Amino acid sequence: HVTPQTACTLFEASDIVKTSEEELDLLLEWYGLPPLQEGELPGRSGQQLPVLKDLLNRGRPKQLLCTYGSKGPAMVTASGQCLAYAPARPVTDIIDTVGAGDAFSACAIDRLIKGCPPDHVLNDANGFASQICRIRGAVPSTQKSQTLYQPWQLWQERNAP
């Protein structure tokens, strides 16, 4: 378990922060900021979110990536502007959600490093995380689960520097 002080220290020292909706609620609470209301959740590019601007200006984060579960992920800049939003990808055959957040983060970081547009970052990371939910555990161990990686490996090969 991470203490609020440790979480806030790490938050303030980060350039890019990825949270879940629940983690974002905790950060807002720890900084004494009001929670986002249902209608304020990022859902369109260009939307202004003053409370997230206040949060991000508590440290050096330039961007916040937040996963909102069935509502999809969003990317918000330090100015509080929703830079991109991706609708959730329905997964009808969920087996296990272990590793989905890590998969989202890994793919998003990869796409950000490669300079992909924000909407591509979110769509790809969202897609990869949804595929991870179709296997048991965070690390595939069967041939069936290995095939889930094939589209992402092909993307890597096509887009290698």
Side-chain angles (χ1 to χ4, degrees):
H1 181 62
V2 176
T3 67
Q5 181 181 7
T6 300
C8 291
T9 298
L10 292 171
F11 171 82
E12 292 167 11
S14 300
D15 292 320
I16 299 173
V17 175
K18 185 275 177 192
T19 68
S20 66
E21 183 175 11
E22 296 80 13
E23 293 162 340
L24 178 59
D25 287 343
L26 284 173
L27 280 171
L28 291 169
E29 178 184 324
W30 293 336
Y31 281 103
L33 296 169
L36 287 174
Q37 301 302 311
E38 190 65 34
E40 291 180 304
L41 296 179
R44 58 181 161 68
S45 295
Q47 179 180 1
Q48 289 294 324
L49 299 153
V51 71
L52 294 185
K53 177 182 178 180
D54 290 346
L55 175 67
L56 291 169
N57 286 311
R58 302 291 173 115
R60 70 176 213 210
K62 294 172 187 64
Q63 292 178 331
L64 170 73
L65 284 80
C66 187
T67 54
Y68 292 92
S70 64
K71 299 175 204 111
M75 184 184 299
V76 178
T77 66
S79 68
Q81 180 181 8
C82 181
L83 192 58
Y85 166 79
R89 294 208 180 168
V91 182
T92 56
D93 52 350
I94 293 176
I95 294 174
D96 189 355
T97 59
V98 170
D102 293 336
F104 179 93
S105 296
C107 189
I109 289 167
D110 175 74
R111 299 314 193 249
L112 287 167
I113 289 170
K114 288 182 170 63
C116 293
D119 57 327
H120 291 194
V121 171
L122 293 181
N123 280 317
D124 288 352
N126 200 24
F128 188 49
S130 69
Q131 291 301 307
I132 292 299
C133 292
R134 298 177 62 218
I135 62 173
R136 179 143 330 275
V139 180
S141 59
T142 66
Q143 183 60 37
K144 177 187 174 204
S145 55
Q146 285 290 336
T147 62
L148 293 176
Y149 283 128
Q150 287 176 345
W152 309 104
Q153 290 167 336
L154 291 172
W155 189 96
Q156 287 289 108
E157 291 168 12
R158 285 193 310 266
N159 294 286

